[in-house]
Amino acid sequence: EDKVVQSPLSLVVHEGDTVTLNCSYEVTNFRSLLWYKQEKKAPTFLFMLTSSGIEKKSGRLSSILDKKELFSILNITATQTGDSAVYLCAVVGSARQLTFGSGTQLTVLP
Amino acid sequence: GAVVSQHPSWVICKSGTSVKIECRSLDFQATTMFWYRQFPKQSLMLMATSNEGSKATYEQGVEKDKFLINHASLTLSTLTVTSAHPEDSSFYICSAEDREWNQPQHFGDGTRLSIL
């Protein structure tokens, strides 16, 4: 059974801080790992990672995958209050459906 | 980019009512769509995989006779919650994968279902 564990479960920081969110996984026939941001509605896509060691970057957000150690991190630099959300990590295995972690609730205080 | 439309966004109805939720891929063909359910403060849990032209595959513990899935075309899947009860109240989200372009799954905006 595919499994995704995220840590920490929640995090409170002040604007301008840098945060690192963690995701470890077990999956049969790994295809990809995805990061999503969820506010009040459905998740919005951030990154899809398929290869180890290649950093994906979008503005203040970046992510990297380690397929040997079976984990990924999501970094957010210079956090803003608009970054407050639940960040979800998910893996895609042989069956193509997403298996989600429990998410990290990030709160950025002004 | 790929867009997935889900309708309705919010439903409030009485116990015993059946509710149909639609999920459409707007600019790509999706041979497979996925239906998830999310309870408050919890993550998304896969309910079923909807395959165009064939029967859906349900996850363990999900009643196929209660949650009817129809995927009659390459751009539309529907989830019908039959004889809904208060414990079915949840946030239901669909996703679709554009396999032609090897893109990640994109989600609809979700349907918040409240059964009174």
Side-chain angles (χ1 to χ4, degrees):
Chain A
E1 184 182 331
D2 299 346
K3 187 178 175 184
V4 177
V5 177
Q6 290 186 247
S7 65
L9 293 180
S10 67
L11 192 55
V12 180
V13 299
H14 286 92
E15 273 193 317
D17 289 349
T18 293
V19 297
T20 298
L21 310 182
N22 304 297
C23 174
S24 63
Y25 64 89
E26 297 172 20
V27 64
T28 304
N29 296 327
F30 175 88
R31 293 184 67 200
S32 59
L33 182 145
L34 297 99
W35 284 96
Y36 290 89
K37 177 182 181 182
Q38 186 175 27
E39 296 173 268
K40 293 186 178 177
K41 288 193 171 182
T44 54
F45 169 74
L46 295 176
F47 297 111
M48 181 169 75
L49 303 158
T50 55
S51 302
S52 272
I54 299 174
E55 185 184 46
K56 294 250 178 145
K57 202 168 169 64
S58 176
R60 297 177 293 104
L61 277 69
S62 63
S63 183
I64 198 161
L65 173 67
D66 186 328
K67 289 169 72 174
K68 184 180 176 185
E69 300 298 329
L70 306 182
F71 79 89
S72 175
I73 60 172
L74 174 69
N75 275 324
I76 308 175
T77 59
T79 52
Q80 302 171 357
T81 54
D83 295 327
S84 296
V86 175
Y87 290 84
L88 295 166
C89 173
V91 291
V92 181
S94 53
R96 297 195 342 269
Q97 69 260 35
L98 290 167
T99 299
F100 282 90
S102 55
T104 294
Q105 172 74 61
L106 174 65
T107 303
V108 181
L109 302 175
Chain B
V3 177
V4 175
S5 171
Q6 188 172 339
H7 177 80
S9 57
W10 200 357
V11 180
I12 302 175
C13 57
K14 292 181 179 179
S15 186
T17 307
S18 292
V19 178
K20 181 188 279 189
I21 303 169
E22 292 187 349
C23 180
R24 294 180 186 274
S25 57
L26 296 183
D27 57 1
F28 64 98
Q29 293 183 334
T31 54
T32 303
M33 293 184 176
F34 302 92
W35 287 96
Y36 297 85
R37 181 167 53 183
Q38 186 176 35
F39 291 107
K41 305 289 186 185
Q42 295 186 25
S43 193
L44 282 76
M45 295 298 293
L46 180 68
M47 296 176 66
T49 301
S50 171
N51 302 297
E52 188 268 335
S54 65
K55 290 183 179 180
T57 305
Y58 290 82
E59 294 301 298
Q60 195 170 13
V62 178
E63 299 174 54
K64 62 180 181 180
D65 294 330
K66 181 167 186 63
F67 298 99
L68 302 178
I69 290 174
N70 184 282
H71 194 156
S73 79
L74 287 171
T75 59
L76 175 63
S77 175
T78 61
L79 168 68
T80 301
V81 184
T82 61
S83 187
H85 292 285
E87 59 266 28
D88 298 322
S89 298
S90 187
F91 190 50
Y92 292 85
I93 311 172
C94 72
S95 73
E97 183 184 56
D98 183 357
R99 297 182 70 185
E100 182 178 349
W101 297 104
N102 194 28
Q103 291 292 309
Q105 288 181 29
H106 290 271
F107 288 87
D109 281 341
T111 298
R112 194 161 300 282
L113 178 62
S114 298
I115 308 298
L116 304 177

